[in-house]
């Protein structure tokens, strides 16, 4: 299965480059059923974007499957786990290659269903609640895709690729664009649906690496890129810009107050997703896709390295228990450090080629100065929590139990991480040369050009000060502030209460008031008793005909003489 995914990745990348060079786009339709003029057709879209994305997803999935061989070796149902991961990848393939909304919905629902099964894989109370919360949030996106499908019945086809080019002037297509935008921000965990992404960390680490790098969370960004022409035509990009900036600020600040190592990486993913949607909303659609691919490579490596650390630390996820990991895990620590530096945009790492270009492109022209001040502040927060992550993991002493036996010499894990290290270092330059058709001409001042690097070093300095500030300033009520920012400004409780607790309570109240209240007496039960009593009276008449008729006769005679 792993070899099959690697072959798909290689073939997809080569074909993607060929399609990009010659500007090819193929739509293949397979007639599954033809009954008396009723056609059931499966359509597949092949262009450079879908093929390159397909190759990246296939490559990362093959590395994660090899990684899972050792990571899940102690599990009794390892084969079930591998099949669920493969179903997850197939659903992503279906979503990427779909030119119509019906097949996109199939892939979208497949991702949601399999992600729920993988999150509740360990079958405990925390994973069950996290899986339900994730499923409820993603079902909101399903509802809006269904609304878009029902509205596109007016056009006679669900092939959105034609309408985004030739029917943008129609006011009806505005609703379709709004529905797709809302569905995309639910999948990409933008505010107010951002709380499900850290909650999904209850899944095994290989699943987290797959979900948060190249599949579920990037499906929303990919769908926005496909609908980018209609998003810009109806000026919905301004709303996306505000949503992405708030999400970046929210997640970047929350990661600086989080102590769960997997949640820190999840919040960094949330920040990077906001970064992609931001650059897409200011017009850099190709740049957003470029950063999506680069982010998938180094974030999968980061999750896999963190998984090795957790696996060898007795499944401890509190970052304060780590320390001096470079001495115990030299290879894994090198992989983690490379991925973190790539996420920060350190020069000549893969993340530098996309992040630096995106920042310079956004500075060259855009909405307002305030937006770019917030953007650079969020970039500083990214460097700040990355430095905090490096400090806790690689500095100091190990604070866990001394009984742990550290061992990273698992050939499967090391090969899978080595396959991603190469692309985390060289993938940014290689992809930039391959998929950016024309070199971006950036014309900005020397001050703005150097500002990106200044923000990087300033974020490191603030992160160092933040650690000392937390340790020395005892009067600061750190616990309440940590609870506020660590829960994304209580967004977890607001969205979970609004999407789960409030509807369930409303349904329970209506059940008590109506089904067990007045509706119990005047509804179905009341009708039943009325008919039962009425038919009982008729049955009584039938069984006692002579006596009843005599009584009625006497009653009419008395009434007759009384009226006379």
């Amino acid at each position: 299965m792993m070899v099959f995914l690697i072959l798909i990745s290689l073939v997809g990348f080569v074909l993607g480059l060929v399609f990009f060079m010659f500007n090819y786009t193929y739509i293949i339709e397979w007639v599954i059923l033809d009954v008396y003029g009723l056609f059931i057709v499966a359509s597949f879209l092949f262009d450079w974007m879908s093929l390159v994305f397909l190759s990246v997803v296939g490559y990362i999935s093959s590395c994660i499957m090899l990684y899972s061989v050792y990571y899940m070796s102690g599990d009794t149902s390892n084969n079930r786990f591998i099949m669920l991961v493969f179903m997850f990848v197939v659903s992503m393939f279906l979503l990427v290659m779909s030119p119509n909304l019906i097949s996109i919905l199939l892939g979208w629902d497949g991702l949601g269903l399999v992600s729920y099964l993988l999150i509740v894989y360990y079958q405990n109370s925390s994973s069950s609640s996290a899986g339900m919360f994730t499923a409820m949030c993603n079902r909101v996106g399903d509802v809006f895709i269904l609304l878009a499908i029902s509205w596109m019945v007016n056009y006679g086809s669900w092939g959105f690729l034609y309408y985004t080019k030739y029917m943008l002037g129609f006011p009806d297509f505005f609703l379709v664009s709004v529905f797709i935008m809302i569905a995309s921000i639910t999948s990409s965990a933008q505010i107010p649906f951002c709380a499900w992404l850290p909650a999904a960390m209850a899944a095994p680490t290989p699943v987290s690496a797959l979900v948060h790098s190249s599949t579920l969370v990037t499906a929303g960004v990919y769908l926005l890129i496909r609908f980018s022409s209609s998003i810009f035509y109806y000026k919905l990009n301004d709303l996306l810009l505000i949503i992405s900036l708030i999400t970046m600020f929210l997640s970047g600040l929350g990661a600086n107050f989080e102590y769960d190592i997997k949640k820190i990486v999840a919040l960094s993913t949330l920040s990077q997703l906001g970064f992609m949607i931001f650059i897409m909303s200011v017009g850099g659609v190709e740049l957003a896709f470029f950063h999506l691919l680069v982010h998938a490579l180094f974030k999968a490596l980061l999750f896999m390295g963190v998984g090795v650390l957790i696996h060898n630390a007795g499944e401890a996820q509190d970052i304060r228990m780590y320390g001096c990991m470079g001495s115990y895990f030299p290879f894994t620590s090198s992989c983690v450090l490379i991925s973190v530096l790539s996420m920060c945009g350190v020069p000549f790492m893969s993340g530098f080629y996309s992040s630096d270009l995106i920042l310079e492109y956004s500075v060259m022209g855009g909405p307002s100065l305030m937006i770019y001040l917030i953007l650079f502040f969020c970039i500083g927060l990214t460097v700040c929590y990355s430095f905090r992550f490096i400090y806790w993991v690689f500095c100091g002493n190990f604070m866990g139990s001394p009984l742990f036996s550290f061992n990273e010499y698992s050939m499967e894990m090391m090969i899978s991480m080595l396959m991603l290290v190469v692309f985390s270092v060289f993938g940014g330059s290689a992809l930039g040369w391959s998929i950016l058709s024309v070199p971006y001409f950036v014309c900005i001042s020397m001050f703005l050009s150097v500002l990106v690097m200044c923000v990087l070093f300033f974020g490191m300095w603030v992160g160092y000060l933040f650690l000392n500030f937390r340790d020395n300033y005892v009067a600061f009520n750190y616990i309440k502030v940590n609870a506020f920012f660590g829960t994304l400004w209580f967004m977890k409780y607001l969205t979970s209460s609004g999407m789960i607790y409030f509807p369930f309570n409303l349904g329970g109240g209506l059940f008590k008031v109506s089904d067990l209240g007045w509706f119990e007496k005047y509804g179905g039960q009341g009708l039943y008793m009325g008919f039962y009593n009425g038919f009982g009276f008729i049955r009584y008449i039938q069984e006692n005909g002579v006596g009843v008729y005599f009584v009625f006769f006497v009653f009419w005679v008395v009434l007759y003489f009384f009226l006379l």
Side-chain angles (χ1 to χ4, degrees):
M1 195 177 296
M2 185 196 70
V3 177
F4 172 70
L5 290 175
I6 290 180
L7 289 175
I8 289 180
S9 175
L10 292 175
V11 173
F13 188 74
V14 172
L15 287 178
L17 293 181
V18 172
F19 277 47
F20 179 77
M21 290 174 59
F22 297 101
N23 198 17
Y24 288 160
T25 300
Y26 287 122
I27 297 178
I28 300 175
E29 292 188 347
W30 171 34
V31 180
I32 300 175
L33 185 63
D34 178 10
V35 179
Y36 298 109
L38 175 64
F39 295 95
I40 298 178
V41 181
S43 302
F44 300 98
L45 170 67
F46 294 96
D47 62 349
W48 73 269
M49 189 173 289
S50 63
L51 287 170
V52 171
F53 195 28
L54 194 83
S55 67
V56 171
V57 172
Y59 185 78
I60 293 174
S61 304
S62 62
C63 295
I64 288 172
M65 284 191 176
L66 179 61
Y67 177 86
S68 303
V69 171
Y70 177 76
Y71 190 89
M72 303 296 292
S73 60
D75 192 83
T76 56
S77 54
N78 190 19
N79 293 330
R80 178 169 64 92
F81 177 79
I82 296 296
M83 288 306 299
L84 285 174
V85 172
F86 185 72
M87 289 170 60
F88 200 85
V89 176
V90 170
S91 300
M92 190 64 191
F93 283 178
L94 181 61
L95 188 145
V96 169
M97 296 187 298
S98 299
N100 64 72
L101 288 180
I102 293 291
S103 50
I104 279 181
L105 181 65
L106 294 176
W108 194 283
D109 275 335
L111 288 175
L113 177 61
V114 180
S115 66
Y116 172 76
L117 295 176
L118 287 169
I119 290 172
V120 301
Y121 183 80
Y122 287 133
Q123 298 180 7
N124 51 40
S125 59
S126 62
S127 63
S128 178
S129 59
M132 181 58 68
F133 183 40
T134 303
M136 292 292 289
C137 287
N138 284 283
R139 293 294 74 77
V140 176
D142 293 345
V143 169
F144 281 98
I145 290 182
L146 284 170
L147 289 173
I149 289 172
S150 62
W151 197 261
M152 286 187 71
V153 173
N154 300 323
Y155 305 137
S157 173
W158 291 292
F160 65 88
L161 216 60
Y162 311 107
Y163 303 119
T164 52
K165 291 184 178 180
Y166 304 113
M167 294 189 64
L168 294 180
F170 287 74
D172 293 345
F173 204 76
F174 170 74
L175 290 176
V176 177
S177 303
V178 171
F179 295 153
I180 294 298
M181 184 191 71
I182 297 175
S184 300
I185 65 175
T186 58
S187 175
S188 297
Q190 301 298 295
I191 191 168
F193 306 102
C194 55
W196 73 262
L197 194 57
M201 290 295 100
T205 301
V207 177
S208 303
L210 189 62
V211 168
H212 297 84
S213 62
S214 58
T215 49
L216 184 60
V217 294
T218 57
V221 181
Y222 180 78
L223 200 57
L224 282 176
I225 291 173
R226 285 297 188 189
F227 278 83
S228 58
S229 57
S230 62
I231 295 293
F232 285 108
Y233 184 84
Y234 295 111
K235 306 297 183 183
L236 296 174
N237 57 313
D238 298 333
L239 180 60
L240 282 175
L241 187 144
I242 297 172
I243 290 173
S244 60
L245 278 178
I246 295 175
T247 306
M248 288 175 64
F249 178 74
L250 200 72
S251 56
L253 205 57
N256 284 285
F257 289 87
E258 184 60 59
Y259 286 107
D260 191 324
I261 187 170
K262 287 180 71 174
K263 288 187 178 180
I264 292 173
V265 184
L267 290 172
S268 70
T269 304
L270 194 57
S271 177
Q272 294 294 317
L273 290 170
F275 191 45
M276 296 174 203
I277 295 179
F278 172 81
I279 189 58
M280 199 274 301
S281 62
V282 296
V285 178
E286 285 187 356
L287 288 179
F289 183 69
F290 177 35
H291 189 65
L292 186 150
L293 299 178
V294 173
H295 169 263
L297 293 169
F298 66 73
K299 188 52 65 69
L301 175 64
L302 179 57
F303 263 107
M304 291 163 73
V306 168
V308 174
L309 300 181
I310 294 173
H311 192 69
N312 286 276
E315 305 301 326
Q317 297 186 16
D318 194 330
I319 199 172
R320 291 168 291 190
M321 295 181 61
Y322 292 80
C324 200
M325 288 290 116
S327 301
Y328 303 123
F329 306 99
F331 177 76
T332 304
S333 300
S334 302
C335 295
V336 170
L337 190 60
I338 287 172
S339 58
V340 171
L341 293 179
S342 181
M343 181 174 63
C344 293
V346 172
F348 311 115
M349 292 291 179
S350 63
F352 168 76
Y353 292 93
S354 59
S355 302
D356 185 71
L357 185 58
I358 286 172
L359 289 173
E360 291 182 350
Y361 176 84
S362 60
V363 166
M364 192 170 60
S368 67
L369 177 64
M370 180 58 68
I371 287 177
Y372 294 116
L373 289 177
I374 298 173
L375 174 65
F376 276 94
F377 182 74
C378 295
I379 298 299
L381 288 175
T382 299
V383 182
C384 185
Y385 67 70
S386 300
F387 184 81
R388 176 175 177 264
F389 179 88
I390 293 172
Y391 173 83
W392 282 112
V393 174
F394 300 112
C395 301
N397 298 317
F398 181 70
M399 302 300 292
S401 173
L403 301 177
F404 291 143
S405 166
F406 298 122
N407 180 21
E408 70 171 354
Y409 299 105
S410 168
M411 192 58 64
E412 295 86 358
M413 284 185 170
M414 294 181 69
I415 291 175
S416 60
M417 287 191 289
L418 186 62
M419 291 169 65
L420 287 173
V421 164
V422 177
F423 286 96
S424 295
V425 178
F426 303 106
S429 58
L431 286 171
W433 296 333
S434 301
I435 67 176
L436 296 180
S437 56
V438 178
Y440 279 80
F441 181 75
V442 180
C443 183
I444 56 177
S445 64
M446 179 62 70
F447 170 74
L448 292 176
S449 181
V450 179
L451 183 61
V452 178
M453 299 305 301
C454 293
V455 168
L456 192 148
F457 291 109
F458 181 74
M460 292 182 182
W461 179 65
V462 171
Y464 175 73
L465 291 180
F466 182 75
L467 290 169
N468 292 332
F469 175 78
R470 179 197 54 101
D471 291 333
N472 299 330
Y473 194 41
V474 182
F476 187 63
N477 197 348
Y478 188 73
I479 297 177
K480 293 182 180 179
V481 174
N482 186 32
F484 178 70
F485 290 112
T487 56
L488 299 176
W489 300 358
F490 300 130
M491 193 63 65
K492 173 183 176 182
Y493 305 112
L494 293 176
T495 51
S496 62
S497 299
M499 300 181 65
I500 299 175
Y501 182 75
F502 177 72
F504 283 179
N505 272 0
L506 179 62
L510 291 175
F511 177 72
K512 289 181 180 179
V513 172
S514 60
D515 290 359
L516 298 180
W518 61 269
F519 203 67
E520 180 75 13
K521 184 173 181 60
Y522 299 104
Q525 291 290 335
L527 289 174
Y528 170 75
M529 293 305 297
F531 284 121
Y532 181 79
N533 293 332
F535 288 128
F537 179 70
I538 295 174
R539 187 174 62 250
Y540 176 77
I541 292 175
Q542 292 175 349
E543 293 175 354
N544 303 278
V546 178
V548 172
Y549 291 144
F550 179 75
V551 171
F552 271 105
F553 176 76
V554 172
F555 174 75
W556 284 111
V557 169
V558 172
L559 185 61
Y560 175 76
F561 284 107
F562 178 76
L563 292 177
L564 287 177

